[in-house]
Short mmCIF file of all heavy atoms in Angstrom, two decimals:
data_model
loop_
_atom_site.label_atom_id
_atom_site.label_comp_id
_atom_site.label_asym_id
_atom_site.label_seq_id
_atom_site.Cartn_x
_atom_site.Cartn_y
_atom_site.Cartn_z
N PHE A 3 78.30 42.22 -250.78
CA PHE A 3 78.56 43.56 -250.33
C PHE A 3 79.32 43.54 -249.00
O PHE A 3 79.19 42.61 -248.15
CB PHE A 3 77.22 44.33 -250.14
CG PHE A 3 76.51 44.54 -251.43
CD1 PHE A 3 75.53 43.64 -251.85
CD2 PHE A 3 76.80 45.59 -252.23
CE1 PHE A 3 74.86 43.80 -253.06
CE2 PHE A 3 76.16 45.82 -253.43
CZ PHE A 3 75.15 44.87 -253.84
N THR A 4 80.08 44.58 -248.75
CA THR A 4 80.95 44.61 -247.58
C THR A 4 80.16 44.71 -246.27
O THR A 4 80.59 44.11 -245.27
CB THR A 4 81.87 45.86 -247.62
OG1 THR A 4 81.12 47.06 -247.80
CG2 THR A 4 82.84 45.77 -248.82
N ARG A 5 79.07 45.44 -246.28
CA ARG A 5 78.27 45.45 -245.03
C ARG A 5 77.70 44.11 -244.67
O ARG A 5 77.73 43.71 -243.49
CB ARG A 5 77.14 46.54 -245.14
CG ARG A 5 76.40 46.81 -243.83
CD ARG A 5 75.38 47.88 -243.99
NE ARG A 5 76.02 49.23 -244.15
CZ ARG A 5 76.33 50.01 -243.13
NH1 ARG A 5 76.06 49.65 -241.89
NH2 ARG A 5 76.86 51.20 -243.35
N HIS A 6 77.19 43.40 -245.69
CA HIS A 6 76.70 42.01 -245.44
C HIS A 6 77.86 41.16 -244.91
O HIS A 6 77.67 40.33 -244.00
CB HIS A 6 76.17 41.48 -246.77
CG HIS A 6 75.70 40.05 -246.64
ND1 HIS A 6 75.42 39.31 -247.79
CD2 HIS A 6 75.41 39.24 -245.62
CE1 HIS A 6 74.99 38.10 -247.40
NE2 HIS A 6 75.02 38.05 -246.09
N LEU A 7 79.08 41.34 -245.50
CA LEU A 7 80.23 40.57 -245.06
C LEU A 7 80.52 40.82 -243.57
O LEU A 7 80.68 39.89 -242.80
CB LEU A 7 81.42 40.94 -245.86
CG LEU A 7 82.77 40.42 -245.38
CD1 LEU A 7 82.87 38.88 -245.49
CD2 LEU A 7 83.93 41.07 -246.10
N LEU A 8 80.56 42.07 -243.19
CA LEU A 8 80.94 42.40 -241.83
C LEU A 8 79.90 41.96 -240.83
O LEU A 8 80.19 41.50 -239.73
CB LEU A 8 81.19 43.93 -241.69
CG LEU A 8 82.38 44.43 -242.50
CD1 LEU A 8 82.58 45.91 -242.19
CD2 LEU A 8 83.67 43.65 -242.18
N MET A 9 78.61 42.11 -241.19
CA MET A 9 77.56 41.60 -240.28
C MET A 9 77.65 40.07 -240.15
O MET A 9 77.42 39.55 -239.06
CB MET A 9 76.21 42.03 -240.85
CG MET A 9 75.95 43.54 -240.84
SD MET A 9 75.96 44.20 -239.16
CE MET A 9 74.50 43.47 -238.45
N ALA A 10 77.94 39.38 -241.21
CA ALA A 10 78.06 37.93 -241.17
C ALA A 10 79.24 37.52 -240.28
O ALA A 10 79.16 36.54 -239.52
CB ALA A 10 78.25 37.32 -242.55
N LEU A 11 80.32 38.23 -240.35
CA LEU A 11 81.49 37.88 -239.57
C LEU A 11 81.25 38.14 -238.10
O LEU A 11 81.62 37.40 -237.21
CB LEU A 11 82.72 38.69 -240.08
CG LEU A 11 83.20 38.43 -241.49
CD1 LEU A 11 84.39 39.35 -241.83
CD2 LEU A 11 83.57 36.97 -241.65
N HIS A 12 80.60 39.30 -237.84
CA HIS A 12 80.29 39.63 -236.43
C HIS A 12 79.35 38.62 -235.86
O HIS A 12 79.52 38.12 -234.67
CB HIS A 12 79.69 41.03 -236.36
CG HIS A 12 79.47 41.45 -234.92
ND1 HIS A 12 78.30 41.19 -234.26
CD2 HIS A 12 80.23 42.17 -234.08
CE1 HIS A 12 78.32 41.69 -233.06
NE2 HIS A 12 79.50 42.28 -232.92
N GLU A 13 78.35 38.16 -236.65
CA GLU A 13 77.39 37.20 -236.16
C GLU A 13 78.07 35.83 -235.88
O GLU A 13 77.66 35.14 -234.94
CB GLU A 13 76.21 37.05 -237.14
CG GLU A 13 75.14 36.05 -236.71
CD GLU A 13 74.00 36.02 -237.74
OE1 GLU A 13 73.92 36.95 -238.57
OE2 GLU A 13 73.21 35.10 -237.62
N ALA A 14 79.03 35.48 -236.73
CA ALA A 14 79.70 34.19 -236.57
C ALA A 14 80.53 34.12 -235.28
O ALA A 14 80.57 33.12 -234.62
CB ALA A 14 80.57 33.91 -237.79
N ASP A 15 81.20 35.28 -234.97
CA ASP A 15 82.02 35.27 -233.75
C ASP A 15 82.45 36.70 -233.41
O ASP A 15 83.18 37.31 -234.17
CB ASP A 15 83.26 34.40 -233.94
CG ASP A 15 84.00 34.18 -232.58
OD1 ASP A 15 84.62 35.10 -232.09
OD2 ASP A 15 83.90 33.02 -232.10
N VAL A 16 81.99 37.15 -232.25
CA VAL A 16 82.23 38.55 -231.83
C VAL A 16 83.73 38.75 -231.55
O VAL A 16 84.33 39.80 -231.92
CB VAL A 16 81.39 38.88 -230.59
CG1 VAL A 16 81.77 40.31 -230.08
CG2 VAL A 16 79.92 38.90 -230.94
N GLU A 17 84.38 37.78 -230.87
CA GLU A 17 85.75 37.96 -230.50
C GLU A 17 86.64 37.94 -231.75
O GLU A 17 87.60 38.79 -231.82
CB GLU A 17 86.16 36.84 -229.54
CG GLU A 17 85.50 36.96 -228.17
CD GLU A 17 85.99 35.93 -227.17
OE1 GLU A 17 86.90 35.15 -227.58
OE2 GLU A 17 85.51 35.95 -226.06
N ARG A 18 86.43 37.06 -232.67
CA ARG A 18 87.23 37.07 -233.90
C ARG A 18 86.99 38.33 -234.70
O ARG A 18 87.87 38.76 -235.46
CB ARG A 18 86.89 35.84 -234.73
CG ARG A 18 87.50 34.55 -234.22
CD ARG A 18 87.17 33.37 -235.09
NE ARG A 18 85.81 32.91 -234.85
CZ ARG A 18 85.22 32.01 -235.65
NH1 ARG A 18 85.78 31.52 -236.77
NH2 ARG A 18 83.95 31.60 -235.33
N PHE A 19 85.81 38.96 -234.58
CA PHE A 19 85.51 40.15 -235.33
C PHE A 19 86.45 41.31 -234.89
O PHE A 19 86.68 42.24 -235.65
CB PHE A 19 84.06 40.57 -235.13
CG PHE A 19 83.67 41.74 -236.07
CD1 PHE A 19 83.45 41.56 -237.38
CD2 PHE A 19 83.51 42.99 -235.51
CE1 PHE A 19 83.06 42.60 -238.17
CE2 PHE A 19 83.09 44.07 -236.30
CZ PHE A 19 82.89 43.84 -237.67
N ASP A 20 86.94 41.29 -233.68
CA ASP A 20 87.90 42.30 -233.22
C ASP A 20 89.12 42.35 -234.12
O ASP A 20 89.67 43.48 -234.39
CB ASP A 20 88.34 42.02 -231.77
CG ASP A 20 87.25 42.30 -230.77
OD1 ASP A 20 86.24 43.02 -231.12
OD2 ASP A 20 87.34 41.77 -229.64
N VAL A 21 89.58 41.23 -234.65
CA VAL A 21 90.71 41.20 -235.55
C VAL A 21 90.35 41.91 -236.80
O VAL A 21 91.15 42.71 -237.40
CB VAL A 21 91.13 39.71 -235.80
CG1 VAL A 21 92.25 39.70 -236.85
CG2 VAL A 21 91.49 39.01 -234.56
N VAL A 22 89.15 41.69 -237.31
CA VAL A 22 88.66 42.35 -238.55
C VAL A 22 88.58 43.86 -238.35
O VAL A 22 89.04 44.64 -239.18
CB VAL A 22 87.30 41.72 -239.00
CG1 VAL A 22 86.80 42.47 -240.21
CG2 VAL A 22 87.43 40.23 -239.24
N ARG A 23 87.98 44.24 -237.25
CA ARG A 23 87.76 45.65 -237.02
C ARG A 23 89.15 46.42 -236.92
O ARG A 23 89.37 47.49 -237.55
CB ARG A 23 87.05 45.85 -235.66
CG ARG A 23 86.81 47.34 -235.32
CD ARG A 23 86.25 47.47 -233.93
NE ARG A 23 84.87 46.93 -233.80
CZ ARG A 23 84.58 45.84 -233.10
NH1 ARG A 23 85.51 45.15 -232.49
NH2 ARG A 23 83.34 45.37 -233.06
N GLU A 24 90.11 45.80 -236.25
CA GLU A 24 91.44 46.44 -236.13
C GLU A 24 92.12 46.50 -237.51
O GLU A 24 92.78 47.53 -237.78
CB GLU A 24 92.32 45.66 -235.13
CG GLU A 24 93.67 46.22 -234.87
CD GLU A 24 93.60 47.63 -234.27
OE1 GLU A 24 92.55 48.00 -233.68
OE2 GLU A 24 94.63 48.33 -234.39
N GLU A 25 92.03 45.46 -238.31
CA GLU A 25 92.63 45.50 -239.64
C GLU A 25 92.05 46.60 -240.49
O GLU A 25 92.79 47.34 -241.21
CB GLU A 25 92.47 44.12 -240.30
CG GLU A 25 92.81 44.14 -241.76
CD GLU A 25 94.26 44.48 -242.12
OE1 GLU A 25 95.12 44.37 -241.20
OE2 GLU A 25 94.57 44.81 -243.26
N LEU A 26 90.72 46.78 -240.46
CA LEU A 26 90.06 47.77 -241.24
C LEU A 26 90.52 49.13 -240.82
O LEU A 26 90.73 50.08 -241.64
CB LEU A 26 88.57 47.62 -241.19
CG LEU A 26 87.97 46.39 -241.79
CD1 LEU A 26 86.46 46.39 -241.72
CD2 LEU A 26 88.40 46.25 -243.26
N ARG A 27 90.64 49.35 -239.54
CA ARG A 27 91.02 50.70 -239.04
C ARG A 27 92.50 51.02 -239.40
O ARG A 27 92.81 52.14 -239.72
CB ARG A 27 90.78 50.73 -237.51
CG ARG A 27 89.32 50.88 -237.14
CD ARG A 27 89.03 50.79 -235.67
NE ARG A 27 87.63 51.09 -235.42
CZ ARG A 27 87.03 50.91 -234.27
NH1 ARG A 27 87.70 50.41 -233.23
NH2 ARG A 27 85.77 51.26 -234.11
N ILE A 28 93.30 50.01 -239.39
CA ILE A 28 94.73 50.22 -239.82
C ILE A 28 94.79 50.58 -241.28
O ILE A 28 95.45 51.50 -241.67
CB ILE A 28 95.61 48.97 -239.49
CG1 ILE A 28 95.74 48.77 -238.00
CG2 ILE A 28 96.96 49.08 -240.20
CD1 ILE A 28 96.37 47.46 -237.62
N ALA A 29 94.02 49.86 -242.08
CA ALA A 29 94.00 50.06 -243.53
C ALA A 29 93.38 51.49 -243.83
O ALA A 29 93.93 52.24 -244.70
CB ALA A 29 93.18 49.02 -244.24
N TRP A 30 92.35 51.86 -243.10
CA TRP A 30 91.74 53.15 -243.29
C TRP A 30 92.71 54.31 -243.03
O TRP A 30 92.84 55.26 -243.84
CB TRP A 30 90.50 53.34 -242.39
CG TRP A 30 89.79 54.59 -242.49
CD1 TRP A 30 88.70 54.85 -243.26
CD2 TRP A 30 90.03 55.81 -241.78
NE1 TRP A 30 88.24 56.12 -243.14
CE2 TRP A 30 89.09 56.74 -242.20
CE3 TRP A 30 90.99 56.18 -240.83
CZ2 TRP A 30 89.02 58.05 -241.72
CZ3 TRP A 30 90.96 57.49 -240.37
CH2 TRP A 30 89.99 58.40 -240.77
N ALA A 31 93.43 54.20 -241.91
CA ALA A 31 94.38 55.22 -241.57
C ALA A 31 95.46 55.36 -242.64
O ALA A 31 95.84 56.47 -243.02
CB ALA A 31 95.03 54.94 -240.21
#
């Protein structure tokens, strides 16, 4: 599931998660 994915990515590395967050927001827009 996507929520499990995002939580796992955030837990693995907070700084790298910024890249994921920005990509999702660009795709959403």
Side-chain angles (χ1 to χ4, degrees):
F3 295 93
T4 56
R5 188 176 289 270
H6 180 194
L7 170 69
L8 296 183
M9 293 298 292
L11 297 179
H12 185 272
E13 183 177 345
D15 191 287
V16 174
E17 292 185 1
R18 282 181 282 169
F19 188 75
D20 289 341
V21 177
V22 177
R23 182 188 292 111
E24 183 62 20
E25 169 61 21
L26 293 181
R27 286 174 171 169
I28 291 171
W30 182 93

